[in-house]
Amino acid sequence: MRDPYDILGLPPSAGTAEIKAAYRRLAKKYHPDAHSGETPAGTQSRFQEVTAAYNLLKDGGAKARFDARPGPGAQAGSVFEEAAFAKRAKSNGTFEADTANADQNGDLFSELFGGLRNAGKRVFRARGEDQTYKLAVPFLEAARGGRRRVALTNGKTLDVRIPAGIEESQQIRLRGQGGEGYGGAPAGDALIAVSIEPHELLTRDGLDIYLKLPISLPEAVLGTKVEVETVSGQVTLSIPAGSNSGTRLRLKSKGIAPEGGGASGDQYVTLELVLPDTQDAALRDFAAGWASGLVHDPRKKSQA
């Protein structure tokens, strides 16, 4: 067997992390499952050789004994041969050898070739890494639910289901669509972090929807019916006569219907009185001569 450091492409000074990284790279390259169709010749034996080298070097005690072998360039076979000769020389009394080293070298030989016999049984296994993606979702689609197409780094393009009522920064998990696993372990997951694009009119708080609705002075005084936007489309809203700016009206169950059922939220419409941009002489003259309006104090309650 060749030097395990040479097999893994490492210098003898390599540490535990370097040994592990080299093994992961080579095991992934030569593992039989990594090849579709017919496995290239020599791949199985190369994988076994890499595994045996790793099994030796990952064991601190075995690594230390191998590093202490006689001669800087000695191979595993020569270590075993020297150990065997030492034992024979001692038995006939013509050569005195260090029996401790002989026994250790014999154990080393067993470890090296035992690793070949056990190759594939102790292959490094690790679940693939989770991978995170960002996905911008329109406001109404986040409220109603829908589908978005997502391109993954593994080359796949998937249609991802957006659950109704999903909130800012919530994640959608795609199981098994993350980084590839090692040694037959499962792949990681893809985590889709959702950001919700703002709507020009609507805002939300939980399942409830909020809308500020501008109205004119005649609409506030006389009352009217207007079309307003909701997450499920436009509906007709009745504005009572004599409504004040700041009045809040409720559209029951016109908020977000949660994923999986349950009570829907409501929509709240806040009225905002807006006067014309240009001065209206008739309105000015009316206000100046409106007796009831001149004696009305709108700040009386707030000052009490």
Side-chain angles (χ1 to χ4, degrees):
M1 180 181 177
R2 294 190 295 123
D3 188 303
Y5 290 106
D6 290 342
I7 293 172
L8 297 179
L10 296 171
S13 59
T16 303
E18 294 173 286
I19 292 170
K20 184 176 181 180
Y23 173 69
R24 289 179 64 175
R25 175 175 53 81
L26 293 172
K28 184 177 180 181
K29 178 179 179 181
Y30 292 112
H31 195 287
D33 293 343
H35 301 275
S36 58
E38 185 176 352
T39 302
T43 299
Q44 178 68 28
S45 59
R46 185 76 174 95
F47 174 70
Q48 291 178 334
E49 185 180 44
V50 166
T51 303
Y54 174 68
N55 286 340
L56 169 66
L57 296 181
K58 75 174 182 178
D59 186 317
K63 180 179 182 299
R65 293 197 296 276
F66 183 82
D67 290 342
R69 67 195 187 282
Q75 300 293 319
S78 63
V79 173
F80 170 72
E81 290 165 2
E82 291 174 9
F85 175 75
K87 289 182 179 180
R88 290 196 302 271
K90 185 180 179 183
S91 65
N92 61 26
T94 60
F95 181 80
E96 189 66 29
D98 184 346
T99 56
N101 285 340
D103 290 341
Q104 289 174 1
N105 289 331
D107 291 341
L108 176 60
F109 177 82
S110 299
E111 289 168 358
L112 284 171
F113 288 87
L116 284 175
R117 289 192 298 271
N118 295 325
K121 295 181 180 179
R122 295 190 291 175
V123 176
F124 175 78
R125 289 173 53 86
R127 179 182 178 274
E129 295 181 355
D130 291 341
Q131 296 175 341
T132 302
Y133 301 85
K134 294 182 179 180
L135 178 64
V137 178
F139 183 93
L140 293 179
E141 191 168 326
R144 301 169 181 166
R147 288 190 174 274
R148 290 268 119 184
R149 181 156 291 187
V150 177
L152 306 180
T153 56
N154 61 10
K156 293 183 180 179
T157 300
L158 302 177
D159 286 330
V160 178
R161 188 179 69 83
I162 309 299
I166 193 167
E167 297 190 58
E168 180 73 23
S169 300
Q170 282 190 319
Q171 291 185 332
I172 301 171
R173 183 182 294 273
L174 304 179
R175 296 197 178 277
Q177 297 297 332
E180 182 182 354
Y182 295 96
D189 300 334
L191 304 175
I192 313 297
V194 170
S195 62
I196 300 176
E197 298 173 344
H199 191 275
E200 59 180 351
L201 298 175
L202 305 176
T203 58
R204 66 179 285 185
D205 182 7
L207 298 179
D208 294 331
I209 298 294
Y210 295 84
L211 168 67
K212 292 181 179 179
L213 180 67
I215 60 172
S216 67
L217 180 59
E219 289 173 332
V221 173
L222 303 175
T224 188
K225 293 181 182 293
V226 296
E227 295 294 310
V228 296
E229 184 83 9
T230 73
V231 295
S232 55
Q234 289 196 333
V235 299
T236 301
L237 173 68
S238 295
I239 298 176
S243 293
N244 281 314
S245 186
T247 297
R248 192 168 76 167
L249 306 175
R250 176 189 179 199
L251 293 171
K252 183 175 175 58
S253 299
K254 287 300 181 181
I256 295 173
E259 182 83 6
S264 298
D266 300 323
Q267 176 160 324
Y268 295 94
V269 180
T270 301
L271 305 180
E272 292 185 333
L273 179 60
V274 179
L275 295 177
D277 292 334
T278 59
Q279 290 288 332
D280 187 301
L283 178 59
R284 186 174 61 249
D285 292 342
F286 166 77
W290 183 33
S292 297
L294 293 175
V295 299
H296 171 64
D297 183 0
R299 293 172 291 282
K300 184 175 181 180
K301 289 183 179 180
S302 63
Q303 294 171 350

